[in-house]
Amino acid sequence: MSPPPVLNTLETDRLTLRRQRVSDAAIYRQLWTERDVRVPPHRRISLEGRPTEEDIATQIQEEREASRPGLLAMERKGTAGAIGYCGLVFNGNASNEEPELAFELLRAVHNCGYATEAGRAVITWADEAGYRKLWATVWDWNVASRRVLEKLGFRDTGRVTRETVDGRSLLTVRELRPL
């Protein structure tokens, strides 16, 4: 597969998904502060207060310079400011040919269908870009995200990618194109 184009902007009925901006760092840090206490410590704010807004801004800048799809900031149409993100990541169980779908929303906009709507747009783009398969990991206790992935056509592989005292990270997959 040749390298896909950079994922810049996607539109849905209610959302605009756009490339992340350094100015999104404050909202992304808020996402870190709102995470469930069962999320592993490396994905929560540390005792030293990391990642800081500056750390996140640096990461966003590095991702903007990468020449591959990535995470998109999610905005409601007609409003300014991100409410979360959705897109493709290339770490963990992912590869350049089979990325992982990732999404996260501010708690204030949970249960509005935004993750499903954004996920559908990213999956459609990934299919059109030539990806054959997408992966996603989800904690067994995260019922809302598991429901979103189910609606998006992901199925449980039966593999556990990580286990902690708080739960198991389940690996799911979504076939896009037959081999």
Side-chain angles (χ1 to χ4, degrees):
M1 178 178 151
S2 61
V6 173
L7 185 50
N8 281 313
T9 305
L10 298 173
E11 298 280 332
T12 71
D13 289 342
R14 301 181 298 161
L15 301 169
T16 298
L17 285 80
R18 57 158 175 81
R19 287 191 76 195
Q20 301 175 90
R21 299 178 190 135
V22 170
S23 60
D24 296 325
I27 294 296
Y28 284 19
R29 185 154 195 294
Q30 184 178 342
L31 288 167
W32 278 76
T33 67
E34 291 184 355
R35 289 189 177 148
D36 191 288
V37 296
R38 295 171 287 187
V39 170
H42 75 281
R43 296 289 297 154
R44 293 192 317 244
I45 301 293
S46 72
L47 295 175
E48 297 79 32
R50 301 210 79 132
T52 64
E53 207 172 300
E54 293 77 24
D55 295 334
I56 294 168
T58 299
Q59 181 182 4
I60 289 170
Q61 187 60 42
E62 289 169 0
E63 288 177 16
R64 284 185 60 88
E65 293 167 4
S67 59
R68 63 180 181 193
L71 297 176
L72 298 175
M74 191 184 315
E75 293 181 338
R76 289 177 284 198
K77 286 185 175 177
T79 65
I83 58 170
Y85 61 79
C86 183
L88 302 176
V89 295
F90 296 83
N91 52 26
N93 296 290
S95 69
N96 286 336
E97 293 79 30
E98 298 178 357
E100 188 168 332
L101 178 73
F103 55 86
E104 188 173 12
L105 292 163
L106 293 170
R107 285 187 183 176
V109 295
H110 283 190
N111 301 311
C112 295
Y114 295 136
T116 304
E117 188 172 331
R120 279 193 186 113
V122 171
I123 289 168
T124 298
W125 180 90
D127 186 37
E128 291 169 356
Y131 290 104
R132 295 185 183 279
K133 186 183 293 187
L134 296 178
W135 300 93
T137 54
V138 62
W139 288 98
D140 57 356
W141 47 260
N142 191 340
V143 176
S145 289
R146 290 176 68 185
R147 222 175 11 246
V148 167
L149 291 171
E150 185 178 310
K151 289 177 194 174
L152 294 173
F154 282 79
R155 65 173 175 73
D156 191 338
T157 65
R159 282 186 42 208
V160 173
T161 63
R162 185 171 185 169
E163 199 159 350
T164 70
V165 295
D166 292 312
R168 298 175 308 137
S169 180
L170 310 174
L171 182 63
T172 66
V173 65
R174 168 78 152 69
E175 304 286 337
L176 299 177
R177 297 169 176 254
L179 290 173

